[in-house]
Amino acid sequence: MTEPLLDAGEQLASSTSEASLRRTEVRSAQIEAQIAKDPSGFRVMTGDRPTGNLHLGHYFGSLANRVRLQDAGVETFILVADYQVITDRDGTGPIHERVLGMLADYLAIGLDPARTTIYAHSAVPALNQLLLPFLSLVTDAELRRNPTVKAELEATGDRPMSGLLLTYPVHQAADILFCKANLVPVGKDQLPHLEQTRVVARRFDERYGRVDPARPIFPQAEALLSNASTVLGLDGTKMSKSKGNVIEIGMDADTTAKLIKKAVTDSDRNITFDPVNRPEVANLVLLVSLCTGGDPVAIAAELGDAGGGGLKKLVTEAVNEFFAPIRARRAELAADPGYLIDVLRTGNARANEVGDATLAEVRQAMNMVY
Ligand code: TRP
């Protein structure tokens, strides 16, 4: 039975709706409980675009969570999504430095290449080949309804939609399915891609069948939404390199201090934790809380009428102290690019093994073994 294409498209378009979000949150909590009991049933896959250095928004929003999952014993695949770099810009930019910088960030924060496979799109041919059969399983109408793609197109100003931007969610399905990952820790902007991934997996099963009659070739991958609080940039809006409001993981203590000095606060000297009415101040208090493990309300109360200056002094100390060991490790790693490349090559080799095995099954299901 072939499912009606329109329904899938509608589901995809609404995958960031409140109701759908609530369901995903509930499900994420159940998955966390299962992981605590037995992590062996899960394979995590996620990744980042190498478009710039990773920052504190990445760290507290997702990177720390990956390390936690790895350390909980969940098998983890981390993708350096280099082909996604060219979805919304011309050319790859200083890609080599950026990939090495990202590897240094990953290892410095505690991702362990002995347990976690770190690899790049461009080095895993089997992953990319899956895009061909997968593209045949989606319609252009469905692709055009993807809310994240729409938002990304708008963000690029008057650039026309490229074929790659339109289809990259299907490429992302290949990222997830080439290693048969069933758990994808992501932010909510990525939920449409997860929905698309499930649709692709289901339709592949319907159209081509199985190698092992007991189970589909591809699993139904689920999102794992973290309950991490979102760290905003130093101006109280989304932390983003293009806005110049970021603290990078690898920045030195002095640069960090200078940037925090320029952070936006308000004229009320009494420090409170009120994310709705005082987002900039609350965000700085949150940063202290994340770095020290303290309760944000208690931190604000203790600051009392210390004013923006007192708050910024505390934020600077907390951030610099928390990141000092990570930054020291990062500096050592960055000084040894040969080692970083070795890590990536080892990860690429492992990803190729896994991807080749999946592609062999796909060829068999499609009757293309010659
Ligand atoms: N699209 C993700 C981002 O922009 C990066 C990414 C690429 C990804 N492939 C993935 C995330 C697969 C999760 C799973 O951040």
Side-chain angles (χ1 to χ4, degrees), residues 45-49 79 81 84 172 175-176 184 186 190:
M45 187 274 143
T46 188
D48 305 280
R49 300 177 183 196
L79 170 68
Q84 266 188 27
Q172 189 155 324
D175 296 343
I176 295 166
V184 186
V186 282
Q190 299 291 303

